[in-house]
């Protein structure tokens, strides 16, 4: 079964999520995956990556002028990252809500950053901020053959 090619909205919308090195070191990978699974989102790609500096600079290109940029790249290079692609209705926006605010201090309890971290420079997880950025980030981190199209039999129990 193949998802309709080019269907990137609605139930087939996709986002790029990464558990950052602090999240991996702190054993939060399972908890984070559990939250996305329980919400009902559909996993289509996942791998453990030791990201290269060029990949990270490309990923955070929009922040290259920020004073924290080099520290951010160093932090992201310091350990493995769990890169994932999740699919589902409004997943880009909903994932950002599940993550909380960029600064954990502003993130409500119940969000991932609100529950598991304290500082903006160690905020355990990345999530794409728009559908366009999600497409860019997915193609940066994954080869097309690493994205698995599989039919989820619980779909009628998650969507009416
Ligand atoms: P995000 O989309 O919520 O991850 O936030 P941004 O795209 O604005 O920033 C990307 C990442 O850079 C954040 O998740 C933080 O890890 C880091 N970052 C953002 N702002 C700051 C800051 O003021 N200081 C430090 N040290 N890191 C920051
Ligand atoms: Mg961002």
């Amino acid at each position: 079964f193949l998802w309709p090619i080019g269907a990137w909205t609605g139930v087939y919308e996709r986002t790029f999520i990464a558990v950052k090195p602090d999240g991996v070191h702190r054993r939060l990978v399972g908890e984070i995956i559990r939250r996305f699974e329980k919400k009902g989102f559909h996993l289509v790609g996942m791998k453990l990556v030791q990201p290269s500096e060029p990949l990270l600079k490309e990923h955070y290109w929009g922040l290259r002028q920020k004073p924290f940029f080099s520290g951010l790249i160093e932090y992201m290079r310091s350990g493995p990252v769990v890169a994932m692609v999740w699919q589902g209705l409004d997943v880009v926006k909903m994932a950002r809500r599940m993550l909380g605010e960029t600064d954990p201090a502003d993130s409500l309890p119940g969000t991932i950053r609100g529950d598991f971290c304290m500082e903006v420079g160690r905020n355990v997880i990345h999530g794409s901020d728009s559908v366009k950025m999600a497409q860019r980030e997915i193609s940066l981190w994954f080869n097309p053959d690493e994205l698995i199209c599989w039919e989820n039999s619980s779909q009628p129990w998650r969507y009416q």
Side-chain angles (χ1 to χ4, degrees):
F1 179 84
L2 288 175
W3 298 115
I5 306 276
W8 287 81
T9 55
V11 172
Y12 304 105
E13 186 173 300
R14 290 175 174 185
T15 196
F16 175 70
I17 298 293
V19 184
K20 295 179 175 182
D22 49 337
V24 175
H25 280 265
R26 294 183 49 217
R27 286 17 184 196
L28 294 171
V29 174
E31 170 67 27
I32 287 167
I33 292 172
R34 189 186 68 86
R35 290 185 178 213
F36 282 88
E37 279 192 318
K38 283 198 163 181
K39 173 70 178 172
F41 292 130
H42 182 70
L43 184 64
V44 296
M46 180 165 69
K47 59 183 175 180
L48 188 67
V49 192
Q50 188 70 65
S52 68
E53 194 172 330
L55 171 70
L56 291 169
K57 285 185 166 168
E58 181 67 31
H59 176 79
Y60 282 127
W61 177 247
L63 299 173
R64 67 193 177 283
Q65 313 279 30
K66 301 282 184 188
F68 57 82
F69 184 71
S70 61
L72 173 62
I73 300 301
E74 202 178 314
Y75 155 51
M76 292 295 292
R77 261 175 55 106
S78 67
V81 162
V82 176
M84 297 181 275
V85 177
W86 288 91
Q87 180 175 291
L89 187 62
D90 235 355
V91 69
V92 172
K93 190 173 85 191
M94 294 311 300
R96 292 285 293 196
R97 283 198 193 162
M98 289 164 67
L99 264 57
E101 302 301 319
T102 301
D103 188 343
D106 300 327
S107 302
L108 291 173
T111 64
I112 292 165
R113 286 167 173 168
D115 286 348
F116 301 125
C117 52
M118 293 171 287
E119 290 193 336
V120 68
R122 296 289 182 273
N123 62 359
V124 305
I125 187 165
H126 168 82
S128 309
D129 67 7
S130 66
V131 172
K132 210 175 153 195
M133 285 301 278
Q135 291 176 17
R136 180 183 178 273
E137 291 170 1
I138 290 166
S139 59
L140 185 62
W141 287 80
F142 284 89
N143 291 320
D145 67 355
E146 293 175 316
L147 301 176
I148 311 301
C149 296
W150 57 289
E151 193 174 4
N152 192 322
S153 57
S154 72
Q155 183 144 335
W157 300 108
R158 290 174 295 118
Y159 298 110
Q160 70 175 23

